[in-house]
Amino acid sequence: MTREEAGRLPQVLARIGASHDITDLACKLRFYDSWAPEYDQDVAALKYKEPCLAVECLSGAPLGPPHDALILDVACGTGLVAVETPRAGTFDAVIIVGNLREGQVPCSAIPELLRVTKPGGLVCLTTRSNLSNLPYKEVLEATLDSLEQAGAWECLVAKPVEHWELATSEHKTGLGNCANDGFISGIVYLYRKQERGQGH
């Protein structure tokens, strides 16, 4: 961690803590709008690896999206994963990073991600595996599995990652400050939508 990141960490932790207390949508949007100019530097202080891990997973996929693929970056914050501005039509790949957790994007949105992906296209998702996110992760995995069982897509990757990002509180690790060197764990999933005539 650089000296600048270390000096910024208390401010980042306070800002993230404050964001968790906002339940009104309009207030939350104003909060994130005001945070946007410093967001990238703040998440860097947390050693936020999700965008890099997701892009590596998507790029390394067998028969991955073509270089000029149309990729939809869902709930992208300031666009750390953005590859191309969406235009009309369907997407070669859909990616959602850092938002599949309680109070963010509901699991009920997963079928919509699949719907906007073209047949044979890829869907890359990430979520945290820390104790406070386990109930959400269980519902998420049940949703992912039910779509796979229905033949809508096939799982190509489910890669656990121990040093996902720095925990913002002991509650996030669930195990105290020394657990996993202060990092929470997470997982990257990659699915391929079935071609037409297979599954959905």
Side-chain angles (χ1 to χ4, degrees):
M1 180 176 297
T2 68
R3 183 175 295 154
E4 181 183 337
E5 289 170 345
R8 176 176 213 102
L9 194 56
Q11 173 190 349
V12 171
L13 296 176
R15 192 180 316 229
I16 290 171
S19 75
H20 293 253
D21 295 333
I22 302 170
T23 55
D24 178 71
L25 179 59
C27 290
K28 191 166 275 239
L29 290 173
R30 280 192 301 277
F31 174 85
Y32 279 105
D33 283 346
S34 69
W35 188 12
E38 296 177 328
Y39 181 85
D40 292 349
Q41 297 90 338
D42 285 357
V43 295
L46 293 174
K47 302 296 181 194
Y48 184 61
K49 298 178 183 179
E50 287 178 73
C52 179
L53 294 167
V55 169
E56 285 174 6
C57 185
L58 189 61
S59 298
L63 301 172
H67 183 64
D68 60 349
L70 183 59
I71 299 176
L72 175 62
D73 187 3
V74 178
C76 65
T78 59
L80 290 173
V81 181
V83 176
E84 185 172 332
T85 302
R87 56 185 185 259
T90 57
F91 298 91
D92 297 293
V94 173
I95 189 166
I96 182 166
V97 172
N99 289 290
L100 291 175
R101 60 180 182 251
E102 191 63 41
Q104 299 286 328
V105 176
C107 294
S108 60
I110 302 302
E112 183 64 13
L113 302 180
L114 181 63
R115 186 189 70 75
V116 299
T117 305
K118 74 178 189 178
L122 300 171
V123 180
C124 184
L125 314 97
T126 68
T127 196
R128 298 170 176 170
S129 299
N130 57 306
L131 189 60
S132 66
N133 198 52
L134 287 182
Y136 180 92
K137 184 175 175 272
E138 288 175 11
V139 174
L140 174 64
E141 289 183 339
T143 303
L144 301 175
D145 291 344
S146 70
L147 289 166
E148 188 168 23
Q149 293 301 317
W153 62 12
E154 67 172 314
C155 182
L156 302 177
V157 175
K159 179 183 176 185
V161 178
E162 284 198 32
H163 288 85
W164 193 254
E165 68 182 64
L166 284 174
T168 56
S169 69
E170 285 188 26
H171 175 69
K172 295 291 183 198
T173 63
L175 302 170
N177 283 333
C178 297
N180 212 11
D181 298 328
F183 282 82
I184 60 172
S185 58
I187 188 165
V188 179
Y189 306 95
L190 183 65
Y191 287 84
R192 181 178 310 282
K193 184 174 180 177
Q194 294 298 334
E195 297 287 341
R196 295 188 202 283
Q198 299 178 324
H200 288 292

